[in-house]
Amino acid sequence: MSRYEEAKKIYAEIGVDTDAAIAALKVAPIALHCWQGDDVRGFDQKVDALTGGIQTTGNYPGRARTPQELMDDIDLALKLCPGAKKLNLHACYAIFDDENGGWVDRDKIEPKHFKKWVDFCKERGLGCDFNPTFFSHPKCDPLTLSSPNEETRNFWIEHGKACIRISQYLAEELGQECVMNIWTGDGFKDVPSDRMGPRMRYKESIDAILSEPFDFSKVKPCVESKVFGIGVEAYTAGSAEFSLSYAAANKDKCIPLMDNGHYHPTEVVSDKIPALITFFDEVALHVTRGIRWDSDHVVVLDDETKEIAKEIVRCGGLDRRVKIALDYFDASINRVTAWVVGLRNMQKALLMALVTPHDRLRQLQDEGDFTQLMVVSEELKTLPFGDVWNEYCRVCGVPADGKWFDTVKAYENEVTIKRG
Ligand code: RNT
Ligand code: ZN
């Protein structure tokens, strides 16, 4: 008997069908964020200083400098990860060339600037999510949608509307919904004297963006909250209460997005998923790993990642009720490896959740048998999960653990290390 067949028997004894788990996970897409590949620089600005309260640290050689390099790197990452994937683009990754008329500013970008990405996705059968880029741009004053300056605000509103049109285009071309996430780094370093004004303006600006026509069954605008960022320690316009209330008040055109790096360190997104699912048909996630702050470290297979995956599965989130995207950027290690480790870990966490006997555990909880619940929960941790994971990789036609890193290393030696 193969190791997988043995593992399958062991899981069957506790009422878990590992074949069904593998089949369910295979078709549930996770969005891979293009911005890990070039340290969130994009292609549309000359100066590449990252603003908006986020930070990449490290200068590992080989970041992608052109659309082609980024596509090549993403391609390798995708090949080494099991399961269904989507691409996740930011507006600053628009591709300008002579054929499409050259550079335009962010308020003027059009679907044609993403045609090459659409071709990339089509060739690989991928859907694509999208994000307006409200940072790293001279028009950040430094506020954007909440700026007191009307001209600034209008510029960014026009950018948001352009992104709605691009999202609609991506959804139509690729035949999959496009999650369009609105996040700004708007906020203050020190205690503000007006907290309400920026939020009122932020609200009106999002209203204006979402007044652009779109089909809500295809385009899923989200609002992402954040507690603080570098340089905006005292106040953010898009706080948790603001963003969640916005989504709740605009359920016909907007959904909430939670990034697990964006809360006070003892708050957990895993617990927030069922809270939101109680009230929302759909929610979106940015899965990341914060160490002490929103540091956007690569996703590892830690307790919270596993707990988030469990809640996604238990809430029936795998069939798109919960939209899963990765969001981290580590510039201190090989960037393709960063993608692969994070994406494989998210897949692992979901597969673990799928081979957990939730009905049995729920029953123990409902019966108040917390003693046995603890025993069963603890013993689940040492079941032969690795064999199920390797079978999942095999079924998906990607390398098992221990068998992919050499490929990235060879690509590094042949390709990325030679980049200036
Ligand atoms: C920043 C937010 C936001 C960005 C991306 C690049 O704290 O998490 O989602 O990371 O849009
Ligand atoms: Zn995020």
Side-chain angles (χ1 to χ4, degrees):
M1 213 191 299
S2 74
R3 287 180 62 145
Y4 175 64
E5 278 162 12
E6 285 208 29
K8 187 177 155 159
K9 256 185 67 185
I10 293 168
Y11 278 99
E13 279 162 23
I14 57 159
V16 169
D17 179 346
T18 52
D19 286 340
I22 288 171
L25 186 56
K26 252 184 87 175
V27 295
I30 296 176
L32 187 70
H33 54 313
C34 75
W35 52 92
Q36 165 61 64
D38 74 333
D39 314 337
V40 209
R41 287 169 195 244
F43 309 127
D44 73 336
Q45 298 298 307
K46 289 259 159 12
V47 253
D48 48 26
L50 184 60
T51 72
I54 50 178
Q55 197 115 78
T56 50
T57 55
N59 52 3
Y60 197 87
R63 76 171 167 84
R65 298 159 305 174
T66 63
Q68 192 55 53
E69 288 180 354
L70 189 56
M71 286 176 185
D72 292 345
D73 295 358
I74 292 170
D75 232 357
L76 178 57
L78 292 174
K79 279 194 197 115
L80 299 176
C81 295
K85 305 114 189 167
K86 301 181 79 175
L87 185 61
N88 200 356
L89 288 176
H90 244 281
C92 61
Y93 292 84
I95 300 176
F96 305 108
D97 54 28
D98 292 340
E99 280 161 55
N100 66 28
W103 184 86
V104 295
D105 212 345
R106 287 192 191 160
D107 57 335
K108 301 267 169 5
I109 51 169
E110 290 179 47
K112 66 182 181 187
H113 301 120
F114 294 88
K115 163 89 173 52
K116 291 219 169 80
W117 285 114
V118 162
D119 294 342
F120 177 88
C121 289
K122 276 187 183 165
E123 278 160 26
R124 290 153 187 80
L126 305 171
C128 191
D129 290 343
F130 199 63
N131 305 255
T133 311
F134 297 106
F135 52 83
S136 305
H137 187 282
K139 277 259 167 16
C140 302
D141 72 10
L143 303 180
T144 63
L145 294 176
S146 71
S147 171
N149 180 319
E150 196 180 342
E151 192 198 316
T152 302
R153 243 172 24 247
N154 284 340
F155 175 85
W156 291 112
I157 289 169
E158 286 310 313
H159 176 57
K161 289 181 170 181
C163 289
I164 291 276
R165 297 189 289 270
I166 292 161
S167 299
Q168 180 79 27
Y169 161 77
L170 293 172
E172 276 166 12
E173 287 290 322
L174 301 173
Q176 290 186 41
E177 66 177 22
C178 173
V179 176
M180 193 201 92
N181 178 43
I182 297 175
W183 172 78
T184 74
D186 287 19
F188 297 113
K189 183 182 177 72
D190 221 324
V191 182
S193 52
D194 177 14
R195 288 188 164 89
M196 179 91 172
R199 289 194 176 127
M200 291 300 291
R201 293 190 291 268
Y202 197 12
K203 175 193 173 292
E204 279 162 23
S205 295
I206 305 174
D207 285 346
I209 292 170
L210 299 186
S211 73
E212 182 69 20
F214 63 93
D215 177 350
F216 190 44
S217 71
K218 293 182 176 151
V219 176
K220 303 289 178 183
C222 309
V223 274
E224 178 182 16
S225 69
K226 183 155 178 167
V227 62
F228 80 93
I230 301 291
V232 290
E233 288 85 359
Y235 167 95
T236 56
S239 62
E241 292 73 14
F242 173 91
S243 304
L244 193 51
S245 303
Y246 189 91
N250 293 277
K251 274 180 139 176
D252 56 330
K253 52 178 183 283
C254 188
I255 65 176
L257 185 145
M258 296 187 289
D259 179 314
N260 59 302
H262 290 194
Y263 297 86
H264 290 283
T266 58
E267 284 183 67
V268 281
V269 162
S270 51
D271 185 64
K272 297 175 193 294
I273 294 169
L276 263 58
I277 285 289
T278 308
F279 296 96
F280 289 92
D281 292 336
E282 299 169 300
V283 305
L285 299 180
H286 274 180
V287 182
T288 186
R289 177 168 54 112
I291 296 193
R292 309 199 187 284
W293 66 288
D294 180 35
S295 58
D296 285 294
H297 280 68
V298 176
V299 171
V300 294
L301 194 61
D302 56 12
D303 284 349
E304 176 57 3
T305 307
K306 290 186 220 169
E307 209 59 30
I308 286 173
K310 273 192 229 165
E311 288 303 341
I312 294 171
V313 167
R314 290 196 287 231
C315 294
L318 265 195
D319 48 7
R320 298 307 287 164
R321 262 200 102 174
V322 180
K323 292 134 200 348
I324 311 167
L326 302 176
D327 180 18
Y328 54 80
F329 22 95
D330 191 335
S332 75
I333 57 173
N334 177 289
R335 293 171 184 79
V336 175
T337 303
W339 268 319
V340 176
V341 169
L343 183 47
R344 286 175 73 102
N345 279 331
M346 190 63 219
Q347 292 270 344
K348 259 184 203 168
L350 287 166
L351 188 60
M352 274 187 174
L354 283 163
V355 296
T356 300
H358 297 292
D359 290 340
R360 166 108 177 93
L361 298 175
R362 188 183 298 120
Q363 195 188 343
L364 289 171
Q365 174 178 315
D366 290 347
E367 287 166 358
D369 191 348
F370 298 107
T371 309
Q372 210 185 147
L373 179 57
M374 174 182 274
V375 173
V376 176
S377 303
E378 287 307 300
E379 293 186 350
L380 284 173
K381 292 178 180 173
T382 47
L383 291 184
F385 173 75
D387 297 325
V388 183
W389 168 254
N390 284 341
E391 172 68 4
Y392 177 60
C393 290
R394 192 192 64 76
V395 166
C396 293
V398 307
D401 282 5
K403 303 269 190 261
W404 60 266
F405 183 61
D406 287 349
T407 310
V408 181
K409 214 49 201 166
Y411 181 75
E412 175 171 287
N413 290 332
E414 282 154 35
V415 182
T416 56
I417 210 85
K418 295 182 181 150
R419 293 174 187 165

